[in-house]
Amino acid sequence: MGQGRKGAALATGAVMFGIVMAGCSSGSSSKSADSGSGPTVGTAAKAASPASGAISVDLVVTGDRTATVKGTKGTCEIPTGSTLGSRYDLSAADYPALGADGFLSVTGPEPIGGRAAPANLKALIGGAGFLDTDGSGLTVAANRKRVTVDADLGGGTAMTPDNPGTPVRVHISGTITCS
């Protein structure tokens, strides 16, 4: 293939990539053209946009990292349809006790193929990352407006000169409420 054709092919590929990405990130839903009975690939089925609400946070982190995360800052999204999971996000900008670049995020449970994937928690606290993907220690109310956390988590990446190979452990307890 000549240089001109290669350039044209690359430009066409870049344009197609941009179109695909714009479609994936639009957040709008659409129905399939045939009967409207199901989603098309990359879209949400009959899901309304998530509603954002006021948030109230009352969490305590104990163990190798400690923090008190209490206040009314952060975001929560509770979808009005049943095809999306809920999301609750807290950042170090709002809660400095999480440490530089810290965050705490709870998502789910997420309906997938007639079943529900459990809620999960991801956090960066005091430079250590933590992950709960099996839903243990997380209870999301049926109306999705309250998350109760009572989770023991192990994490990593935060090594100390005294103990470079020891995992970091925390317990997170409390509630996140969205109204």
Side-chain angles (χ1 to χ4, degrees):
M1 187 182 295
Q3 289 293 69
R5 287 186 146 183
K6 284 182 185 176
L10 287 173
T12 301
V15 168
M16 293 304 293
F17 178 76
I19 291 170
V20 168
M21 292 308 293
C24 290
S25 64
S26 68
S28 64
S29 63
S30 65
K31 297 179 183 174
S32 60
D34 57 349
S35 67
S37 62
T40 58
V41 174
T43 62
K46 301 177 188 172
S49 297
S52 295
I55 193 168
S56 176
V57 180
D58 188 3
L59 297 172
V60 175
V61 180
T62 58
D64 294 328
R65 299 291 184 269
T66 60
T68 298
V69 182
K70 187 171 185 164
T72 57
K73 294 183 179 180
T75 60
C76 61
E77 294 178 352
I78 300 174
T80 55
S82 62
T83 61
L84 300 171
S86 301
R87 183 176 183 96
Y88 316 84
D89 293 306
L90 313 175
S91 72
D94 294 328
Y95 298 100
L98 294 171
D101 298 323
F103 70 90
L104 189 141
S105 177
V106 176
T107 58
E110 190 80 29
I112 299 175
R115 300 172 73 193
N120 65 75
L121 181 147
K122 295 182 280 187
L124 181 65
I125 303 168
F130 301 94
L131 183 62
D132 175 352
T133 59
D134 67 1
S136 61
L138 300 173
T139 304
V140 179
N143 66 4
R144 300 183 272 186
K145 291 188 176 189
R146 184 178 181 91
V147 177
T148 302
V149 182
D150 187 14
D152 289 309
L153 303 171
T157 70
M159 306 293 180
T160 65
D162 298 330
N163 237 338
T166 302
V168 180
R169 306 229 18 109
V170 296
H171 181 83
I172 304 175
S173 60
T175 58
I176 303 171
T177 306
C178 187
S179 57

